[in-house]
Amino acid sequence: MTLLRTRDLVVHYGDFQALFGIGMEIADGETIAIIGSNGAGKSTFLRSLAGLLAPSSGRIEFAGVDITGMPANRVVASGLALVPEGRKLFPSLSVEENLLIGGYAKRKGPWSLERIYRIFPDLKEKRRNPGTALSGGQQQMVAIGRALMSNPRLLLCDELSLGLAPIVVKDIYARLPEILAEGTSVVVVEQDIGQAMKVADRFYCLQEGHVSLAGKPGEVGRDQVSAAYFGV
Amino acid sequence: MVDWINTVLQGLLLGGLYALFATGLSLSFGIMRLVNIAHGDMIVLAAYLAYAVVTHFGINPFVALLLIVPAMAAWGYVLQRVVLSRSLTGSILTPLMVTLGLSIITQNVLVSVFSADSRAIPAGGVETAAVPLGGGVTLGLYPLIVMATAIGVIVGLQLLLGRTELGRAFRATSDDQETAQLMGIDNRLLYGLAMAIAMGIVGLAGVYLGIRANFDPSAGPSHLIYAFEAVVIGGLGSLWGTLAGGMILGVSQSIGFRLDPGWGILASHLAFLAVLVLKPNGLFPRTRDR
Amino acid sequence: MSMDLTLAAPAEPAAPPAPPAPPAYRVERATRASRIGAAALGLATLALLAMPWWADRASIRSMGEILYVLALAQTWNLLAGYGGLISMGQQAFVGLGAYALVVFSLKLGLNVFLAIPLAGLTAALIAIPAATVVFRLRGAYFAVGTWVVAEVFRLLITNTMWLAGGNGLSVISALTGIPRWWRESAILWFAVVLGVGSTLGLYLVLRSRFGLALKAIRDSEAAAESVGVKVPALKWIVYVAAAFGCGAVGALAFITKLRVAPDAAFSLDWMTTMVFLVVIGGIGTIEGPLVGAAVFFGLRWLLADYGVVYMIVLGALATLVMLKMPEGLYGFLARCYRLDFFPVQRRLIPRDQGE
């Protein structure tokens, strides 16, 4: 069953057009990778799905409901959560408070503080620390946990690997199956193709605001991907 | 010697009133980065509302609080949603000018309704009662009530901000408005609530001001200045710092006043400038200024 | 074929050494509106200076006030609109100027009109230590901090018995001996110098390198700093210059008001008036305060019998303009009709279009 569908999504920043009619479909339980170089429009796309940017035209349907132009605070209540680029933890909140505020929308579901601490045991012992006192990898875990606390049906992850050592990135990606086991669909956005393609069922490649390629990781050749990625 | 002890004690207790003036300002700055130039005029507005209620219905001013505080809170919410929210566009000029306009409007509406004459809220003697501590040292009963209220308000706000879900949401919004929305926080509603709380405290401050001293429609700006000074001395975002700031203002004012009646208010301004020169971030800084 | 081509162009001289190619553009600073503006300003200034010969005394008096209030507005425009310094305490320097008038003319016996530039200098000198204190605050806190400084000056003078404390004193005795026609004319001429001078001065400053740096600061302090603009020094100069203007206006204003008292000299009304002129007209434009002055004095004339209503209308108008058209009335009109009477920007005009 289709969980998310966008049609002809166009987004502007002032006079600058960032997205030129993106069409995408994500089914329940799927893991999707969105890849593309810096400035391809990946973050813009996620931010418009999450309700932080209002599209100029086009349509976003989530779980059969039109959420185009819905403000971010209501989008999350309908089951779509974003782990923002750069983690964006709240510095005046402790780790546990950061996680708790993730559940502000009061959506029912399987996630609780205990579950989050089970997946990310590091966080439990640091739960009284301010979120910003943690290592980069641990901060990313808080950011993911915080998004999960809203019990999303679709989890959007923007550049999980940004600024993290490869071993830490691997560690974080290793927790993905536990999240998927709850039936949550996941979108990972990365500049780094390798990690994202390994976990994804399907992928979309963005280039200058267009979908330049879509398919299944195993079925597309390396050259095809790099052509779609770099536009050569 | 006893006189001086009394002077300092009076000053410390006066700090309670200044802290009440300041907490609302501190809250709206801390959460919304809004410096409300009309803050002092809202205090005076609350005093006039209380004056009208007390003299019209003949009730005790402390009973009038039950009416004034919710009324001011509701006014704060409406003001935020209808006017102030539109001014929070990123530039600091807009909110400053909009609240300056609001200040002028409030002052002149008060003049046209209540005339420019100064008023005081009759409180039936509580304002002059004294509590002797022995050895000639006495404390005013009323300043003690004000101080107790100020401490109560600060403790209440600390609990609200530190222990409740709403408080978490306030702090999150203060840190990063956009990410807070991703948590499901409706920042416009939250800002409205923050202003409602701030104005509720302003209501309290206004009634307490009106019982203690005469007020007139043009008195607002000087109260804004005290409130602002207490916030800056204490350090932005620190509520206990704000109380300390109020006390520093109060003590320097009462000592100054004792030396020469003309120097009272000047002494508190000079104390503020001294702190500013020596510790520009205040005594207990917490929130970063943007 | 090639032979034919060379023959087909006999009029062309044999290739001389190629002159350096002219740039494909030229820098243009004037516009049609600006040429009209310059001419109008020149004529208006002459007409204003000649008012004692063609206008009645009441008009001369009103025009004097309009001009010195305009001067105040331009100083705040420079501060807030270009320097990014949103001061709410400029009444400090108006008041200090007024008391400089008292000291120089009443106490030291100098000519009252000589006291005007001296009052400006006094205010500028006092602004230097004041700046070291208020520049510790930023943004909105700077605004209220400057206000506190103004209160401190007011209270200091209220407590100075030599200056008659809170009661204030009359400067009439300093004016005796100057014939009335000369007194009233000189007040007007000084007001013209201040009002037109501040407008023209702002224009010239903004056209200079200094102005370019100021506009860079207004747009982004960090970016300006990174390209080598000395931001603190520039802000400091702007603050001191604005204090000079306010001080001079303070002296002139109280020559017309005759009585100097702390509450009037350091009144917040000076501040709100300059803010209204600038905000309603359009902050960060030279023309804005002119439009603001027209609205401000026009409304005052219309609502002369309703003092309180006038203030409420002004407050509401300022609030509405700030919320609905933050660029002000002039800014709004200029955007709609592409007006620019005092162009301070440099435009690149491609040669083929521009000539």
Side-chain angles (χ1 to χ4, degrees):
Chain A
M1 195 200 125
T2 306
L3 180 61
L4 180 92
R5 177 186 287 127
T6 72
R7 256 185 302 194
D8 297 322
L9 198 66
V10 174
V11 175
H12 287 83
Y13 287 107
D15 291 336
F16 173 74
Q17 186 167 358
L19 297 182
F20 296 80
I22 303 288
M24 212 177 269
E25 280 196 24
I26 297 166
D28 248 333
E30 245 187 332
T31 305
I32 301 289
I34 300 178
I35 57 172
S37 59
N38 195 11
K42 307 182 299 293
S43 288
T44 306
F45 181 63
L46 291 198
R47 289 167 59 81
S48 57
L49 295 185
L52 290 176
L53 288 171
S56 337
S57 65
R59 195 176 155 88
I60 308 170
E61 272 171 44
F62 179 70
V65 181
D66 181 6
I67 61 161
T68 322
M70 187 186 273
N73 59 298
R74 285 178 45 212
V75 170
V76 67
S78 73
L80 193 159
L82 171 66
V83 181
E85 186 180 347
R87 308 181 271 276
K88 301 278 173 66
L89 300 189
F90 299 111
S92 31
L93 270 57
S94 68
V95 167
E96 187 154 298
E97 286 178 321
N98 264 290
L99 294 173
L100 284 171
I101 199 122
Y104 187 86
K106 302 269 184 298
R107 240 180 89 81
K108 297 265 175 293
W111 295 100
S112 61
L113 277 181
E114 291 72 43
R115 287 279 331 253
I116 305 284
Y117 288 144
R118 222 180 302 151
I119 304 187
F120 302 117
D122 290 8
L123 301 186
K124 187 162 190 180
E125 53 198 87
K126 305 240 170 170
R127 65 182 196 275
R128 304 246 175 266
N129 293 31
T132 42
L134 272 54
S135 73
Q138 288 168 336
Q139 288 194 27
Q140 190 68 74
M141 293 172 192
V142 178
I144 296 170
R146 186 177 67 178
L148 287 175
M149 286 293 283
S150 71
N151 291 305
R153 290 182 69 182
L154 175 60
L155 181 70
L156 310 174
C157 302
D158 198 352
E159 305 253 7
L160 290 183
S161 60
L162 192 78
L164 299 181
I167 183 146
V168 179
V169 176
K170 224 179 132 193
D171 188 28
I172 288 175
Y173 270 92
R175 323 288 169 100
L176 218 53
E178 292 182 64
I179 296 166
L180 294 167
E182 295 296 343
T184 313
S185 304
V186 176
V187 172
V188 290
V189 158
E190 290 287 357
Q191 279 186 56
D192 168 26
I193 306 176
Q195 194 58 261
M197 294 292 246
K198 237 179 274 171
V199 297
D201 302 322
R202 286 190 301 123
F203 75 95
Y204 289 86
C205 184
L206 294 192
Q207 190 202 323
E208 291 177 353
H210 302 268
V211 175
S212 56
L213 186 66
K216 295 192 172 171
E219 296 173 357
V220 183
R222 227 184 147 72
D223 295 349
Q224 242 180 313
V225 173
S226 85
Y229 190 100
F230 294 110
V232 287
Chain B
M1 188 58 204
V2 171
D3 285 354
W4 282 104
I5 292 173
N6 278 330
T7 303
V8 171
L9 286 176
Q10 270 168 26
L12 285 174
L13 290 184
L14 181 58
L17 184 65
Y18 290 156
L20 273 183
F21 286 178
T23 33
L25 195 69
S26 181
L27 201 65
S28 58
F29 181 79
I31 293 170
M32 294 173 277
R33 314 286 145 166
L34 173 77
V35 171
N36 181 2
I37 295 287
H39 184 77
D41 303 292
M42 296 296 129
I43 294 173
V44 174
L45 171 69
Y48 270 104
L49 288 181
Y51 171 81
V53 170
V54 168
T55 51
H56 190 263
F57 298 109
I59 55 174
N60 184 294
F62 292 99
V63 178
L65 280 176
L66 299 176
L67 226 77
I68 302 300
V69 171
M72 287 303 288
W75 165 235
Y77 183 82
V78 171
L79 197 63
Q80 176 63 37
R81 294 302 294 259
V82 176
V83 180
L84 299 179
S85 64
R86 288 167 217 269
S87 78
L88 296 171
T89 52
S91 139
I92 66 151
L93 183 71
T94 315
L96 275 179
M97 294 303 117
V98 166
T99 52
L100 176 67
L102 205 61
S103 157
I104 304 291
I105 296 171
T106 309
Q107 286 179 31
N108 286 283
V109 167
L110 286 177
V111 168
S112 60
V113 175
F114 293 98
S115 88
D117 301 341
S118 76
R119 305 284 157 105
I121 301 173
V126 69
E127 65 271 31
T128 50
V131 181
L133 295 182
V137 177
T138 55
L139 288 177
L141 173 64
Y142 180 66
L144 273 175
I145 295 174
V146 176
M147 177 56 87
T149 309
I151 292 174
V153 164
I154 291 174
V155 168
L157 277 179
Q158 293 281 21
L159 289 176
L160 172 77
L161 289 172
R163 303 281 174 82
T164 67
E165 178 159 55
L166 183 63
R168 269 203 299 277
F170 277 139
R171 283 184 288 146
T173 307
S174 166
D175 281 347
D176 181 344
Q177 202 219 98
E178 189 180 270
T179 308
Q181 289 179 60
L182 287 177
M183 306 297 117
I185 296 169
D186 179 354
N187 65 322
R188 288 181 308 165
L189 174 72
L190 215 67
Y191 282 0
L193 290 178
M195 206 54 183
I197 296 172
M199 281 297 166
I201 299 169
V202 160
L204 211 56
V207 176
Y208 279 12
L209 167 78
I211 296 173
R212 180 185 171 271
N214 288 342
F215 52 91
D216 64 79
S218 66
S222 61
H223 299 314
L224 163 71
I225 288 182
Y226 295 138
F228 163 79
E229 288 176 336
V231 172
V232 174
I233 291 177
L236 308 180
S238 161
L239 289 172
W240 290 114
T242 299
L243 180 62
M247 286 174 157
I248 289 173
L249 289 179
V251 170
S252 38
Q253 184 179 331
S254 61
I255 290 178
F257 189 81
R258 219 181 125 71
L259 293 173
D260 178 334
W263 293 93
I265 295 164
L266 184 59
S268 58
H269 290 327
L270 292 177
F272 161 74
L273 292 178
V275 171
L276 196 58
V277 170
L278 300 175
K279 291 205 76 164
N281 291 325
L283 302 176
F284 312 96
R286 204 175 276 172
T287 314
R288 275 170 301 130
D289 190 3
R290 264 206 305 240
Chain C
M1 238 350 239
S2 60
M3 282 297 287
D4 284 345
L5 261 177
T6 46
L7 286 173
E12 267 186 24
Y25 55 86
R26 66 195 163 84
V27 177
E28 192 190 86
R29 310 200 62 177
T31 63
R32 218 181 101 168
S34 81
R35 283 182 272 267
I36 298 172
L41 189 72
L43 286 175
T45 307
L46 286 178
L48 287 173
L49 288 172
M51 268 184 94
W53 289 279
W54 61 265
D56 61 283
R57 290 176 52 208
S59 313
I60 292 175
R61 230 186 118 79
S62 306
M63 188 48 75
E65 186 188 354
I66 292 173
L67 285 165
Y68 71 64
V69 168
L70 173 68
L72 283 180
Q74 292 292 21
T75 66
W76 195 74
N77 193 18
L78 172 71
L79 264 182
Y82 292 98
L85 293 166
I86 303 172
S87 165
M88 285 290 292
Q90 294 307 99
Q91 70 274 28
F93 302 113
V94 177
L96 288 169
Y99 274 90
L101 167 75
V102 170
V103 172
F104 287 119
S105 67
L106 215 57
K107 304 282 180 186
L108 302 178
L110 291 181
N111 180 290
V112 283
F113 294 106
L114 188 62
I116 294 173
L118 288 175
L121 276 179
T122 309
L125 279 176
I126 295 174
I128 294 169
T132 62
V133 175
V134 292
F135 277 24
R136 287 168 177 267
L137 293 166
R138 312 217 137 255
Y141 281 75
F142 173 81
V144 193
T146 53
W147 192 349
V148 173
V149 168
E151 279 296 285
V152 168
F153 284 127
R154 181 178 67 83
L155 290 165
L156 279 174
I157 288 185
T158 306
N159 284 292
T160 305
M161 285 309 123
W162 182 59
L163 294 170
N167 294 327
L169 61 191
S170 162
V171 292
I172 290 179
S173 61
L175 284 162
T176 50
I178 305 174
R180 197 174 77 188
W181 188 90
W182 277 108
R183 191 175 76 217
E184 288 173 350
S185 304
I187 287 172
L188 173 74
W189 293 331
F190 270 95
V192 173
V193 168
L194 287 170
V196 176
S198 61
T199 305
L200 207 61
L202 185 58
Y203 172 56
L204 293 176
V205 162
L206 289 176
R207 286 186 60 139
S208 69
R209 255 176 74 80
F210 183 79
L212 215 55
L214 272 182
K215 278 178 285 179
I217 294 181
R218 178 188 58 178
D219 294 341
S220 163
E221 220 170 279
E225 190 111 48
S226 73
V227 295
V229 175
K230 294 188 178 61
V231 175
L234 222 61
K235 287 193 159 187
W236 191 85
I237 292 172
V238 164
Y239 186 72
V240 172
F244 179 92
C246 288
V249 169
L252 178 65
F254 282 89
I255 292 173
T256 70
K257 291 181 192 292
L258 299 176
R259 182 169 190 81
V260 185
D263 287 349
F266 293 92
S267 167
L268 189 62
D269 291 349
W270 293 114
M271 196 61 244
T272 47
T273 304
M274 54 184 113
V275 168
F276 280 153
L277 254 66
V278 174
V279 164
I280 291 175
I283 188 164
T285 62
I286 293 171
E287 300 87 342
L290 295 166
V291 175
V295 173
F296 182 87
F297 287 99
L299 275 177
R300 192 169 84 175
W301 177 72
L302 274 177
L303 300 172
D305 300 331
Y306 316 91
V308 171
V309 174
Y310 168 62
M311 290 309 291
I312 294 173
V313 168
L314 267 186
L317 187 63
T319 306
L320 272 178
V321 165
M322 217 54 225
L323 289 176
K324 296 291 173 195
M325 41 168 111
E327 75 267 55
L329 289 177
Y330 175 77
F332 178 74
L333 292 175
R335 193 159 49 80
C336 292
Y337 299 103
R338 302 189 160 278
L339 294 176
D340 203 350
F341 291 100
F342 296 98
V344 292
Q345 67 270 60
R346 296 159 171 82
R347 293 169 219 273
L348 292 183
I349 310 290
R351 284 281 171 192
D352 48 330
Q353 289 173 25
E355 292 186 344

